[in-house]
Amino acid sequence: MGETKRIGILTSGGDCAGLNAVIRAVVFRAIGTYGWKVLGISKATQGLMSRPPEFVPLDIEKVDRLLTAGGTVLGTTNKGNPFAFPMADGQLVDRAQEIIDGYHLLGLDAIIGIGGDGSMAILRRLAQQGGLNLVTIPKTIDNDVDITECSIGFDTAVNTATEALDRLHFTAASHSRVMILEVMGRDAGHIAISAGIAGGADVILIPEIPYTIANICGKLRERQEQGKDYSLVIVSEAVRTETGESISSTDPSGQFRYGGIGQYLANQIAVCSGAETRVTVLGHVQRGGTPSPLDRLLASAFGVAAVDLIAEGHYDRMVGWRDRQVISVPIAQAIAHYCVVDPNSTLAKTARGLGIYLGD
Amino acid sequence: MGETKRIGILTSGGDCAGLNAVIRAVVFRAIGTYGWKVLGISKATQGLMSRPPEFVPLDIEKVDRLLTAGGTVLGTTNKGNPFAFPMADGQLVDRAQEIIDGYHLLGLDAIIGIGGDGSMAILRRLAQQGGLNLVTIPKTIDNDVDITECSIGFDTAVNTATEALDRLHFTAASHSRVMILEVMGRDAGHIAISAGIAGGADVILIPEIPYTIANICGKLRERQEQGKDYSLVIVSEAVRTETGESISSTDPSGQFRYGGIGQYLANQIAVCSGAETRVTVLGHVQRGGTPSPLDRLLASAFGVAAVDLIAEGHYDRMVGWRDRQVISVPIAQAIAHYCVVDPNSTLAKTARGLGIYLGD
Amino acid sequence: MGETKRIGILTSGGDCAGLNAVIRAVVFRAIGTYGWKVLGISKATQGLMSRPPEFVPLDIEKVDRLLTAGGTVLGTTNKGNPFAFPMADGQLVDRAQEIIDGYHLLGLDAIIGIGGDGSMAILRRLAQQGGLNLVTIPKTIDNDVDITECSIGFDTAVNTATEALDRLHFTAASHSRVMILEVMGRDAGHIAISAGIAGGADVILIPEIPYTIANICGKLRERQEQGKDYSLVIVSEAVRTETGESISSTDPSGQFRYGGIGQYLANQIAVCSGAETRVTVLGHVQRGGTPSPLDRLLASAFGVAAVDLIAEGHYDRMVGWRDRQVISVPIAQAIAHYCVVDPNSTLAKTARGLGIYLGD
Amino acid sequence: MGETKRIGILTSGGDCAGLNAVIRAVVFRAIGTYGWKVLGISKATQGLMSRPPEFVPLDIEKVDRLLTAGGTVLGTTNKGNPFAFPMADGQLVDRAQEIIDGYHLLGLDAIIGIGGDGSMAILRRLAQQGGLNLVTIPKTIDNDVDITECSIGFDTAVNTATEALDRLHFTAASHSRVMILEVMGRDAGHIAISAGIAGGADVILIPEIPYTIANICGKLRERQEQGKDYSLVIVSEAVRTETGESISSTDPSGQFRYGGIGQYLANQIAVCSGAETRVTVLGHVQRGGTPSPLDRLLASAFGVAAVDLIAEGHYDRMVGWRDRQVISVPIAQAIAHYCVVDPNSTLAKTARGLGIYLGD
C-alpha cells in the first residue's frame, strides 16, 4: 500500500448535511485501507492559523457514528478570507503564510478540503503559494459548483424545501392564500427551481431570471379563473426585478434581513392580486438535518476517491459526480465557471412546460 | 338506527393537520353506519351566511382519501366574528341571524363544528340564539382548549417544530452559533415547551413565564464554561420580558411581523453574549402537512364520537380525549378556562429538571 | 439537595425508541441537579451478575447526544429470567442472589430499571429479596403496561407501522391487491389497532378478539361491491381464529417464524376471495429508529421524575403518564394487570364505527 | 402549436413511486400547452385489450393532486405478456393484435408507455407490429434500465431501504445482533448497494457478485475483534453462492417465499458466527409511498419531454436522465443491455473502500 502518509481534512464555508459522512469515509479509507494518520483540522483554515494548530486526531471509532449526523464535527466558518483576514481592530491582514506554516508544522503530506466554490479558490491559492498537496470535495447546498452534477448537501436541502412546500400547499388551499416560501440561493436558483418543481409551486423566482410583479399576478389570476383560489410561490433569497433592481434577504455575511425578498413580494402580491399572503423564511433548517441517502452516498464515494487520489499522488484536483461515477478534474477547471441555472436547461423547460411562472 | 338525519359539518379558525381526517370519520360514521346525509359547509360560518348557503354534499367516495391530507377540503377562515362582522365599508355588523337562517334553510338536524376556543364560543352563542343542535370537536395547534388532553393538530405541529430543532442543532454546533427558532403560540406556550424538551433546546421562552435577557445569557455562558459553544433557543411568537413588556411577532390577524420576537432576541443575545445568532421563523409549515398518526387517531375517534352524540340527541357538548378514551363535556365547561402552560406542571418541571432555562 | 447518592440505571427486555432519552434525562437530573454519581449497568441484570459487575460511569458529556438516538447505549437482553437462568449446559439456575450482590458490590443507593411488564416483575422480586431501592420506568412498544397511558417506545412503533400502511395503500390500489401487514404485539394488539385506524386499514386483527376468515372475506367483498378492488389488512403477530386456535409468527424467544400469521392469512384470503395477496412482516424496524417527539418528551419526563422519587426516598414505585402529567404508583399495582385492548374501548368503537372489520 | 392530437398513456409492470407525477406532467403539458386530448389507459395493455377499451379521459383537474401520490391511478399489472397471454384455461394465446386494435379503436395519434425493461420491449414489439406511435418513460425501483442514470421509483426505494437500515442499526447495537435486511432486486443489486452504503451496512450481497458464507463470517469476526458485537447485512432478493447456487426469495411472479434468502442467510450466519440473527423482509413498502423530491423532479421532466417528442413527431424513443438533463434515445438502444451493478463501478469501489464485504 506504499508509504504511510499523514493527511489533514477540513470543512470550509457554510455547513450542510453530509460533511460528517465525508469525514467518516476519508477516515475509513485512509486508516482502514492504507493505515495512514488522519488529522481533523478545526474550524476550516482557522485551525491551521492557530498556534499550535488546532486539530483532532481521527480514528475509526470516532467517526463510526457520523454517517447520519448533520453538520461537521470539525466545525467550520465562513468568516475570513485568509488573504484579507479581518483583525479585531478592523484591519484586513494577509495571513495566508500562517496557514501554510500550520500545514507544514503538522507535518502533513496532503490535505483534503471540503468546500464550495469560494473555499476551493482560496484553498487552491494557499496550495499554490505554499506547496500544499490539496484535493478538494465539492459541498454546497446551492449546487453551484461546476463540472459535478451534485455537490454534497444539495439533495438534502432540496428535500427540506420541498417538504416545506408540501406542508404549505395544504394550508394555502384551506385558507385561499398565496403562500411564499423563501429559500437559500444568493447567486444560483438550483434549490428554488428543483424544490419548486418537486413541490408543485405555481411561481418560481430565481436570481438568474428577472421577473415582473405584473406577470406573477397574471399567473395568480389565471389560476383563479380555473377555480384555484390559492397559490404557492418559491423564491431564492436574492432575485432581480424587471428594472434590474436586485433584492436580497441576506447581507453579504449570510445574516438574514427579515423584511427581505419574501416579505417584499408578499406585500406586492397582496396589493396587485388582493389575495391574503403569508411568508415562510426557511433559513438554516435547510443546512442541518440528517443527510439524505443520496448525500450520504455521494459523501462516501467522494471521501474514498479523494483518499485514493492522494494515494496515487494526484493533487490539485477536485472529485465530482457524473453519470453515477466519481470523476476528478483539476480544481482550476472546476472553479473557472460558476454554475447557475441555465434558462434553457431541462429544469427550466420542465417548469415552463408545467405552466409554472419562472420569470420572463 | 332511528330516523334519518341531515347534518352539517364545518371547520373554523386557522387550519391544522387532521381536519380532513375528522371530516372523513364523520362521513364514514354518519353515512356508513346511520345512513344520514352530510353537508360540508364551505369556509366556516361564511358558508351559512351566503345565499344560497354554500356547501358540498359529502359521501364516502369523496372523503375516502382524506385520512392523510393536511388542511381542510371545506376551507376555513379566521376572519370575521359574525356578531361583529367587518363589512367592505369597514362597519362591524351583527350577521349572526344570517348564519342561523342558513342552518335552517339547509334543513339541518344538527351541526358539527371543528374549531378552537374562540370558534367554539361563537358557535355556541349562535346555537343558543338560533336553536342549532351543536356538537364541537376541539382543534388547535396551540393545544389551549381545556378539559381535553390533546386537540387535533397539536401533535403534528410539535413534530414539525421538533424536527426543525433537530436540524438546527447540527448547524448551530458546526458554526458555534446561537440558533433561535420562533414557533406559533400567541397565548399559550404548549408547542414551545413540548418541542423544546423533545428537541433538546437550552432555552424555552413561553408567554406564561417572563424571562430576563440577563438570565438567558447566563445560561449560554454556563454552557460555554462546559465547553459547549453553541445553543438552541425556542420561543413562542409572543412573550413577556421581565418588565412586563409584551413582544409579539404577529398582529392580531395572525400576519407575521418580521423583526418580531425572534429577531429581537437574536439582537439582544448577540449583544450580551457576543455570540453569532441566527433566527428561523417556522410560520405556517406548522399548520400544514400530513397529520401524525396520533392526530389521525384522535380525528377518527372524535369524528365517530361526535356523530354518536348526535345519534343519541346529546347536543351542546364538546368531545375530548382523556386517558386514551373519548369523553364529552358541555361546551360551556370546555371554554370556561383557557388552558395555558402551568409553571408547576410536569413539563415545566421536566424542562427545569433538565437544566433548560424556562424563564424566572 | 441532601446527601450525595450513587445510583444505577439499566434497560431490560426488548429495545425500543426512547431508552437513550431516558438515560440522558436521568443523568442530567441526577448529576446536573443533585450532583450524584450515575452508573450505567450493562446488558440489563446481566451486568450485575458479572464479576466484577459490568457498568459504565455516566456523565453529562456522554449522554448529551442521546436524545435522538434509538436503542440503548447500555445494551439490553430479553434472555434469561435470573430466577431460572439458562446455563450453558441447559440447566436452569437461580442466580438472583448474584444480581443482588452485584448491586451491593457497586455500593448503589438505588437503581432505576427501565422495562416492560415482565422485567418490572423480576426487578421487583429482586428488590424485595435483596433490599434494592428500586424505581421503574415503563417501556414497551406493545403498550401493555397498566396504569400509564403510554409506555416509552409505543408512539414511535405506531408511527413506523402507520407509515408502512401509508406506503402499502398506494401499491395495493395500483395492483388491486390485498396487502397484509404483520406487526408486533404477541399478547396485546395496541400497535395494530392504533396503526390500523391511523393508516386506514380495512381489517384489523388483534390477539384480544377472535376473527373468522369468512367475515374477513365478507368485508373484502363488501368493498368490491363499492368499487374498491383492493384492501389493507393489519395483523398482530399472534391472533386467535374462531375455533380458538392460536396462530403466532414468533416463537417464545421472539424469533420470527416466516410463514407465520401474515402468510397464513394471505393464503386463506387468496383462496376465499380470489384476490392477489402480498405480505409484509415489519419486524425489528418497529423497535429502532429515532424516537418520536412524544417518546422523547415522555422519556425526559419519566427520567427526571424517577430521579426525584429517589431524592425523596420513594422506592418500589413506577412512574407513569396520565392526563399530560407524570404520576407514580406502587410497582405491584402496575404489574397486577396486563393491559390489553378492551373490545369496548374508544379505539375498538372507533374502528367499528369507521366500518373496519375488527373480529367478531 | 400544430394540430390537435389524441394521445394515450399507460403504466406497465410493478408499480413504484412517481408514476402519478408522470401522469400529471403529461396532462399538464399535453393539455395545458398543446390543447390535446389525453386518455388514461386502464391496467397497462389490458385496458387496450378490453372491448370497449378501458380508459379514463384525463384533465388538469383530475391530475392536479397527483404530484405526491404514490402508485398509479391508472392501475397496472405485471401479469401477462400479450404475445403469450395466459387464458383462464391455462392456454397461452397471442393477443397482441387486440391491443393494437384497441389503440386504433381509440383513435390515438400516439401513446406514452411508462415501464421497465421488459414492458418497453413488449410495447416496442406491439408498436412495430401495429404502427403505434410510441414514446417510453423508464420506471423501475431496480434501476436496471440502461442509458438513463435513474429510472422513476429508484430514489424513493433507496430512501425506504436506507431508512430501514437506520432503524435496524439501533436495535442491532442494543441487542448485539446481526440484522439482515432483504430488499428488492431480482437481477440487479442497485437498491442493495446504494442503500447499503448510505445506511452503513457491513455486508452487502447482490446478484452480480457471488459470496461465501465463510467470508461473511470472517467480516463479522473482524468487527468483533474491533469491539463491535453487532452487524448489519443487506441482501438483494436473489443472490448466488460461491458454488453458483442461486437463491431467491421470490418466485417468477414476484410473490415472496418466506424462508427465502434472508432467512437462509440468518440460519447460516447464526451457525458460523454464533451470533443472534434477525431478518426483516422489506417487501412492498419499497414500492409505495410519497415519491422523493428527486423522483418527482424526474417524473415531471420525463413527462414534459415525452409529450414534446410526440409534438415533434419523434417516436420509438425513450426519454432518459443524464448530467441533470433529459435526453432521448431509440428504445432499441435502451433495451439492448440490461444495466446491472458493475463490480468495478464507483459504488462497488466505494463499498470495498469503506471496508464493506461485497462478495468475492
Side-chain angles (χ1 to χ4, degrees):
Chain A
M1 288 290 175
E3 69 194 312
T4 282
K5 289 187 191 293
R6 185 177 169 88
I7 66 172
I9 178 168
L10 61 79
T11 49
S12 179
D15 78 303
C16 64
L19 297 177
N20 279 325
V22 175
I23 296 167
R24 172 180 176 271
V26 164
V27 170
F28 274 28
R29 183 63 165 171
I31 299 180
T33 305
Y34 297 115
W36 298 349
K37 297 244 177 295
V38 183
L39 278 57
I41 310 298
S42 303
K43 304 219 163 193
T45 50
Q46 293 192 11
L48 294 175
M49 214 184 267
S50 301
R51 287 299 170 272
E54 281 183 71
F55 70 94
V56 192
L58 295 175
D59 58 37
I60 285 175
E61 187 57 32
K62 268 185 196 142
V63 303
D64 196 27
R65 295 280 187 142
L66 290 188
L67 183 59
T68 59
T72 164
V73 288
L74 301 179
T76 183
T77 177
N78 40 14
K79 287 177 299 189
N81 175 347
F83 296 95
F85 195 85
M87 304 302 287
D89 63 1
Q91 295 251 313
L92 297 179
V93 175
D94 183 343
R95 302 186 61 182
Q97 194 56 45
E98 295 172 59
I99 293 169
I100 292 164
D101 293 345
Y103 171 93
H104 294 297
L105 274 172
L106 291 177
L108 297 180
D109 294 301
I111 190 159
I112 294 173
I114 314 171
D117 210 59
S119 294
M120 286 195 283
I122 288 170
L123 289 171
R124 182 167 191 265
R125 196 171 152 196
L126 290 166
Q128 300 284 312
Q129 179 175 328
L132 279 51
N133 290 325
L134 174 70
V135 170
T136 61
I137 295 176
K139 72 88 209 158
T140 156
I141 65 168
D142 292 344
N143 212 35
D144 51 17
V145 173
D146 206 15
I147 309 288
T148 185
E149 286 183 38
C150 314
S151 292
I152 287 162
F154 174 60
D155 188 60
T156 305
V158 170
N159 288 353
T160 303
T162 303
E163 192 190 318
L165 276 184
D166 286 351
R167 291 178 189 275
L168 292 175
H169 190 100
F170 292 117
T171 186
S174 299
H175 282 273
S176 308
R177 283 173 177 157
V178 177
M179 289 287 179
I180 296 158
L181 178 68
E182 184 182 315
V183 296
M184 287 188 168
R186 276 176 60 81
D187 302 297
H190 296 287
I191 292 179
I193 196 168
S194 299
I197 293 171
D202 304 297
V203 173
I204 300 175
L205 305 181
I206 58 176
E208 293 87 346
I209 306 179
Y211 73 93
T212 57
I213 194 76
N215 287 347
I216 293 176
C217 288
K219 175 68 192 172
L220 303 185
R221 261 195 310 279
E222 179 193 314
R223 281 178 56 79
Q224 282 166 337
E225 284 157 15
Q226 294 163 356
K228 312 241 176 75
D229 59 359
Y230 69 94
S231 292
L232 290 181
V233 177
I234 188 169
V235 55
S236 296
E237 67 189 278
V239 293
R240 278 176 301 140
T241 66
E242 66 263 54
T243 63
E245 183 190 2
S246 179
I247 305 167
S248 169
S249 287
T250 45
D251 62 27
S253 76
Q255 170 77 25
F256 274 99
R257 293 189 216 136
Y258 288 100
I261 176 62
Q263 192 57 47
Y264 174 87
L265 277 174
N267 297 342
Q268 288 203 304
I269 291 172
V271 168
C272 86
S273 74
E276 224 181 44
T277 58
R278 291 287 185 276
V279 182
T280 294
V281 180
L282 207 49
H284 285 76
V285 296
Q286 291 162 89
R287 295 199 170 279
T290 297
S292 72
L294 180 54
D295 269 329
R296 296 189 222 166
L297 199 66
L298 284 177
S300 301
F302 284 172
V304 168
V307 172
D308 286 352
L309 284 175
I310 294 175
E312 298 156 5
H314 292 145
Y315 301 118
D316 196 21
R317 297 186 77 83
M318 180 192 85
V319 296
W321 187 253
R322 190 173 283 179
D323 200 10
R324 294 187 69 76
Q325 301 293 339
V326 167
I327 55 168
S328 83
V329 294
I331 298 173
Q333 184 183 332
I335 59 179
H337 298 95
Y338 187 69
C339 170
V340 298
V341 175
D342 177 348
N344 296 313
S345 64
T346 283
L347 291 193
K349 283 181 192 163
T350 298
R352 288 192 209 97
L354 295 169
I356 298 169
Y357 176 69
L358 185 67
D360 301 309
Chain B
M1 288 292 176
E3 70 196 310
T4 282
K5 289 187 192 291
R6 186 178 168 88
I7 66 171
I9 178 168
L10 61 78
T11 49
S12 180
D15 79 301
C16 65
L19 297 177
N20 278 326
V22 176
I23 296 167
R24 172 181 177 269
V26 164
V27 170
F28 273 29
R29 183 62 164 172
I31 299 180
T33 304
Y34 297 116
W36 298 349
K37 299 244 176 294
V38 183
L39 279 57
I41 310 298
S42 304
K43 302 218 164 196
T45 51
Q46 292 192 12
L48 294 175
M49 215 184 267
S50 301
R51 288 299 170 272
E54 282 182 70
F55 70 94
V56 191
L58 296 175
D59 57 37
I60 285 174
E61 189 56 33
K62 270 186 195 139
V63 303
D64 197 26
R65 294 281 187 141
L66 292 187
L67 183 59
T68 58
T72 165
V73 289
L74 301 178
T76 184
T77 177
N78 42 13
K79 286 177 300 193
N81 176 347
F83 295 96
F85 194 85
M87 304 302 287
D89 63 1
Q91 294 251 313
L92 297 179
V93 176
D94 182 342
R95 302 186 62 182
Q97 193 57 44
E98 295 172 58
I99 293 169
I100 293 165
D101 293 345
Y103 171 93
H104 294 298
L105 275 171
L106 292 176
L108 297 179
D109 294 302
I111 192 159
I112 294 173
I114 313 171
D117 209 61
S119 294
M120 286 196 282
I122 287 170
L123 289 170
R124 182 167 192 264
R125 194 169 152 197
L126 289 167
Q128 301 283 314
Q129 179 175 329
L132 281 49
N133 291 324
L134 173 69
V135 170
T136 61
I137 294 176
K139 73 89 211 155
T140 158
I141 63 168
D142 292 343
N143 211 34
D144 51 18
V145 173
D146 206 15
I147 308 290
T148 185
E149 284 183 38
C150 314
S151 291
I152 287 163
F154 175 61
D155 188 60
T156 305
V158 170
N159 288 354
T160 304
T162 303
E163 192 189 320
L165 277 184
D166 286 351
R167 291 179 189 275
L168 292 175
H169 191 99
F170 292 118
T171 186
S174 299
H175 283 274
S176 309
R177 282 172 177 157
V178 176
M179 289 287 179
I180 295 158
L181 178 69
E182 184 182 314
V183 296
M184 286 188 168
R186 276 177 61 79
D187 303 297
H190 296 288
I191 293 179
I193 195 168
S194 299
I197 294 171
D202 305 298
V203 173
I204 299 174
L205 304 182
I206 58 176
E208 293 87 346
I209 306 178
Y211 72 91
T212 56
I213 195 75
N215 286 347
I216 294 176
C217 289
K219 175 68 193 172
L220 303 185
R221 260 195 311 277
E222 180 193 313
R223 280 178 58 79
Q224 283 167 334
E225 284 157 16
Q226 294 161 359
K228 312 242 176 73
D229 59 0
Y230 68 95
S231 292
L232 290 181
V233 176
I234 188 168
V235 55
S236 296
E237 65 188 280
V239 293
R240 280 177 298 142
T241 66
E242 67 263 53
T243 64
E245 184 190 2
S246 179
I247 305 167
S248 169
S249 287
T250 46
D251 63 26
S253 76
Q255 171 75 26
F256 274 99
R257 292 188 219 138
Y258 289 100
I261 177 63
Q263 192 57 48
Y264 174 88
L265 276 174
N267 297 342
Q268 288 204 304
I269 290 172
V271 168
C272 86
S273 73
E276 223 180 44
T277 58
R278 290 288 185 275
V279 182
T280 293
V281 180
L282 207 49
H284 285 74
V285 296
Q286 293 162 89
R287 295 198 170 279
T290 296
S292 72
L294 179 54
D295 269 329
R296 296 190 221 167
L297 199 67
L298 284 176
S300 300
F302 284 172
V304 168
V307 172
D308 286 352
L309 283 175
I310 294 174
E312 297 157 6
H314 290 145
Y315 300 118
D316 196 22
R317 299 185 75 82
M318 180 192 85
V319 298
W321 187 254
R322 189 173 284 178
D323 200 9
R324 295 186 68 76
Q325 302 293 338
V326 168
I327 56 169
S328 83
V329 295
I331 298 173
Q333 184 183 333
I335 60 179
H337 298 95
Y338 188 70
C339 170
V340 297
V341 175
D342 177 348
N344 296 312
S345 64
T346 284
L347 291 192
K349 282 182 193 164
T350 298
R352 288 192 209 98
L354 294 169
I356 299 169
Y357 175 69
L358 184 67
D360 301 308
Chain C
M1 288 290 175
E3 71 197 308
T4 283
K5 289 187 192 294
R6 185 175 170 89
I7 66 172
I9 178 168
L10 61 80
T11 49
S12 179
D15 79 302
C16 64
L19 297 177
N20 278 326
V22 176
I23 296 167
R24 173 181 177 269
V26 164
V27 170
F28 273 29
R29 183 62 164 172
I31 299 180
T33 304
Y34 297 116
W36 298 349
K37 299 245 177 292
V38 183
L39 278 57
I41 309 299
S42 303
K43 303 219 164 194
T45 49
Q46 293 192 10
L48 294 175
M49 214 185 268
S50 303
R51 289 296 171 274
E54 282 182 71
F55 69 93
V56 191
L58 296 174
D59 58 38
I60 285 174
E61 188 58 31
K62 270 185 196 141
V63 302
D64 196 26
R65 295 279 186 143
L66 291 188
L67 183 58
T68 58
T72 165
V73 288
L74 301 179
T76 183
T77 178
N78 40 15
K79 288 177 298 190
N81 176 345
F83 294 97
F85 194 84
M87 305 301 288
D89 62 2
Q91 295 249 315
L92 298 180
V93 175
D94 182 343
R95 301 185 61 181
Q97 193 58 43
E98 296 172 56
I99 294 169
I100 292 165
D101 292 346
Y103 171 94
H104 294 297
L105 275 171
L106 292 177
L108 297 180
D109 294 302
I111 191 158
I112 294 173
I114 314 172
D117 210 60
S119 294
M120 286 195 284
I122 288 170
L123 289 171
R124 181 166 192 265
R125 196 171 151 198
L126 289 167
Q128 301 284 313
Q129 179 176 327
L132 279 51
N133 290 324
L134 174 68
V135 171
T136 61
I137 294 176
K139 74 88 208 157
T140 157
I141 65 168
D142 293 342
N143 211 35
D144 51 18
V145 173
D146 205 16
I147 308 290
T148 184
E149 285 183 38
C150 314
S151 290
I152 287 162
F154 175 62
D155 188 59
T156 304
V158 170
N159 289 353
T160 303
T162 304
E163 192 190 319
L165 277 183
D166 286 353
R167 292 178 189 273
L168 293 175
H169 190 101
F170 292 118
T171 187
S174 299
H175 283 272
S176 308
R177 282 173 178 156
V178 177
M179 289 286 181
I180 296 158
L181 178 69
E182 184 182 315
V183 296
M184 288 187 168
R186 275 176 60 79
D187 303 297
H190 296 289
I191 292 179
I193 196 168
S194 299
I197 294 171
D202 304 298
V203 174
I204 300 175
L205 305 182
I206 58 176
E208 293 87 346
I209 306 179
Y211 73 92
T212 57
I213 195 75
N215 287 347
I216 294 176
C217 288
K219 175 68 192 172
L220 303 186
R221 261 195 310 279
E222 180 192 314
R223 280 177 58 79
Q224 282 167 335
E225 283 156 18
Q226 293 162 359
K228 313 240 177 75
D229 60 0
Y230 69 94
S231 293
L232 290 181
V233 177
I234 188 168
V235 55
S236 296
E237 66 187 280
V239 293
R240 279 177 299 141
T241 67
E242 67 264 52
T243 64
E245 184 189 2
S246 180
I247 304 168
S248 168
S249 287
T250 46
D251 63 25
S253 76
Q255 170 77 24
F256 273 99
R257 292 187 218 139
Y258 288 100
I261 177 64
Q263 192 57 45
Y264 174 88
L265 278 174
N267 297 343
Q268 289 204 303
I269 290 173
V271 168
C272 86
S273 73
E276 224 181 44
T277 58
R278 290 287 185 275
V279 183
T280 295
V281 180
L282 207 49
H284 285 76
V285 296
Q286 292 162 88
R287 295 199 170 278
T290 297
S292 72
L294 179 55
D295 268 329
R296 296 190 222 166
L297 199 66
L298 284 177
S300 301
F302 284 172
V304 168
V307 173
D308 287 353
L309 283 175
I310 294 175
E312 297 158 6
H314 290 145
Y315 301 118
D316 197 21
R317 297 185 78 82
M318 180 192 84
V319 297
W321 186 253
R322 190 173 283 178
D323 200 10
R324 293 186 70 75
Q325 302 293 338
V326 168
I327 56 168
S328 82
V329 295
I331 298 173
Q333 184 182 333
I335 60 178
H337 298 94
Y338 188 68
C339 171
V340 297
V341 175
D342 178 347
N344 297 311
S345 64
T346 284
L347 291 192
K349 283 182 194 165
T350 298
R352 287 193 210 99
L354 295 168
I356 298 168
Y357 176 69
L358 184 67
D360 299 309
Chain D
M1 288 292 175
E3 69 194 312
T4 281
K5 288 186 191 294
R6 185 176 170 88
I7 66 171
I9 178 167
L10 61 79
T11 49
S12 180
D15 79 301
C16 64
L19 297 177
N20 278 325
V22 176
I23 297 167
R24 172 182 178 269
V26 164
V27 170
F28 273 29
R29 183 61 164 172
I31 299 180
T33 305
Y34 296 116
W36 298 349
K37 299 245 176 293
V38 183
L39 278 57
I41 311 298
S42 302
K43 301 218 164 195
T45 51
Q46 294 192 9
L48 294 176
M49 214 184 268
S50 302
R51 288 298 170 273
E54 282 182 69
F55 70 93
V56 192
L58 296 175
D59 58 36
I60 285 175
E61 188 57 31
K62 269 186 197 140
V63 303
D64 196 26
R65 294 281 186 142
L66 291 187
L67 183 59
T68 58
T72 163
V73 288
L74 302 178
T76 184
T77 177
N78 40 14
K79 287 178 299 191
N81 176 345
F83 295 95
F85 194 85
M87 305 301 288
D89 63 2
Q91 295 251 313
L92 297 179
V93 175
D94 182 341
R95 302 186 63 181
Q97 194 57 44
E98 296 171 59
I99 294 169
I100 293 165
D101 291 346
Y103 171 93
H104 294 298
L105 275 172
L106 292 176
L108 296 180
D109 294 302
I111 191 159
I112 294 173
I114 315 171
D117 209 59
S119 295
M120 286 195 283
I122 288 171
L123 289 171
R124 182 165 192 266
R125 196 171 152 196
L126 290 167
Q128 301 284 313
Q129 179 175 328
L132 280 51
N133 290 324
L134 173 68
V135 170
T136 61
I137 295 176
K139 72 89 210 154
T140 157
I141 65 168
D142 292 343
N143 212 34
D144 50 17
V145 174
D146 205 17
I147 309 290
T148 185
E149 285 182 38
C150 315
S151 290
I152 287 163
F154 174 61
D155 188 58
T156 305
V158 171
N159 288 354
T160 303
T162 304
E163 192 189 319
L165 277 183
D166 286 351
R167 291 179 189 275
L168 292 175
H169 191 101
F170 291 119
T171 186
S174 298
H175 283 273
S176 309
R177 283 174 178 156
V178 176
M179 289 287 179
I180 296 159
L181 179 69
E182 184 181 316
V183 296
M184 287 188 168
R186 275 176 60 79
D187 303 297
H190 296 288
I191 292 179
I193 196 168
S194 299
I197 294 171
D202 304 298
V203 173
I204 300 175
L205 304 181
I206 58 176
E208 293 87 347
I209 306 178
Y211 72 91
T212 55
I213 195 75
N215 286 347
I216 294 176
C217 288
K219 175 68 193 173
L220 303 185
R221 260 195 311 278
E222 179 193 314
R223 280 177 58 78
Q224 282 167 336
E225 283 157 16
Q226 294 162 359
K228 312 243 177 74
D229 59 0
Y230 70 95
S231 292
L232 290 181
V233 177
I234 188 168
V235 56
S236 297
E237 64 188 280
V239 293
R240 280 178 298 142
T241 65
E242 67 263 52
T243 64
E245 184 189 3
S246 179
I247 304 167
S248 169
S249 289
T250 47
D251 62 28
S253 75
Q255 171 75 27
F256 274 100
R257 292 189 218 135
Y258 288 100
I261 177 63
Q263 191 57 47
Y264 174 88
L265 277 174
N267 297 342
Q268 288 205 304
I269 291 173
V271 167
C272 86
S273 74
E276 223 180 44
T277 58
R278 290 286 184 277
V279 182
T280 294
V281 180
L282 208 48
H284 285 76
V285 297
Q286 291 162 88
R287 295 199 171 278
T290 296
S292 72
L294 179 55
D295 269 328
R296 297 189 221 167
L297 199 66
L298 284 176
S300 301
F302 284 172
V304 167
V307 172
D308 286 354
L309 284 175
I310 294 174
E312 298 157 5
H314 291 145
Y315 301 118
D316 196 23
R317 297 186 77 83
M318 181 193 83
V319 297
W321 187 255
R322 192 173 283 178
D323 200 9
R324 294 185 69 78
Q325 302 293 337
V326 168
I327 57 169
S328 82
V329 295
I331 298 173
Q333 184 182 332
I335 60 179
H337 298 94
Y338 188 70
C339 171
V340 298
V341 175
D342 177 349
N344 296 312
S345 64
T346 284
L347 290 192
K349 283 182 195 164
T350 299
R352 287 192 211 99
L354 295 168
I356 298 169
Y357 175 69
L358 184 67
D360 299 309

